[in-house]
Amino acid sequence: MLERSRAMIIKRLEDVIGTDRHVTGSTGTESRRLLLAADGLGYSLHHTIVPEGTEQHLHYKHHTESNYCIAGEGEVLDVATGVTHPIKPGTLYTLDKHDEHVLRATNGNMHLICIFVPALVGNEKHQSDGSYPPPD
């Protein structure tokens, strides 16, 4: 539920879970979409949970994305270079050049705080090539 206090936007995770802003992907990944395009900020903010033992091949051709790990461990493979980077709490990785990548959760469910630019509308699901559709 959107609550406005003066010019502030206040969101609570509990108000997102179980709504259309709580999206589950084919690998069981959960995207809890706290801020979306309708919020008018130019970016969207998500709390994403990647289940341990899963792997996702992603390629955001129309968005840039930053991810900050707050729990769990994993790795991200840069497909272009073949380099794998470890991810653990306190690690940030940014896909600023529409980088094709493979994300793996290896030790516990990995929790990421994610920012997308441009903002997602909210109902996007990954296409077969690992991207989201271009914004309207």
Side-chain angles (χ1 to χ4, degrees):
M1 170 179 282
L2 178 65
E3 178 183 319
R4 290 208 181 247
S5 171
R6 297 185 188 171
M8 247 186 257
I9 297 172
I10 307 295
K11 299 281 180 107
R12 293 175 187 85
L13 185 59
E14 63 200 45
D15 296 330
V16 171
I17 294 174
T19 72
D20 60 350
R21 287 179 175 240
H22 184 187
V23 177
T24 302
S26 61
T27 62
T29 297
E30 293 182 52
S31 178
R32 298 151 166 204
R33 298 170 177 188
L34 294 158
L35 294 172
L36 293 169
D39 296 310
L41 299 169
Y43 63 89
S44 56
L45 178 76
H46 312 230
H47 174 191
T48 299
I49 302 171
V50 183
E52 179 179 19
T54 62
E55 175 178 293
Q56 297 179 62
H57 191 131
L58 303 166
H59 190 188
Y60 297 119
K61 300 173 182 179
H62 313 289
H63 300 84
T64 57
E65 179 191 26
S66 291
N67 300 279
Y68 182 70
C69 181
I70 59 172
E73 295 181 7
E75 59 189 22
V76 62
L77 166 68
D78 181 337
V79 171
T81 66
V83 176
T84 299
H85 304 276
I87 305 296
K88 63 182 184 177
T91 303
L92 168 81
Y93 69 96
T94 298
L95 306 158
D96 59 334
K97 302 209 176 8
H98 307 287
D99 310 271
E100 186 176 2
H101 60 290
V102 176
L103 180 63
R104 300 179 185 105
T106 58
N107 186 13
N109 292 341
M110 192 165 43
H111 290 248
L112 303 169
I113 302 301
C114 311
I115 297 174
F116 281 89
V117 175
L120 297 186
V121 173
N123 60 355
E124 292 89 346
K125 296 254 185 185
H126 288 112
Q127 301 180 112
S128 61
D129 64 357
S131 71
Y132 286 133
D136 292 333

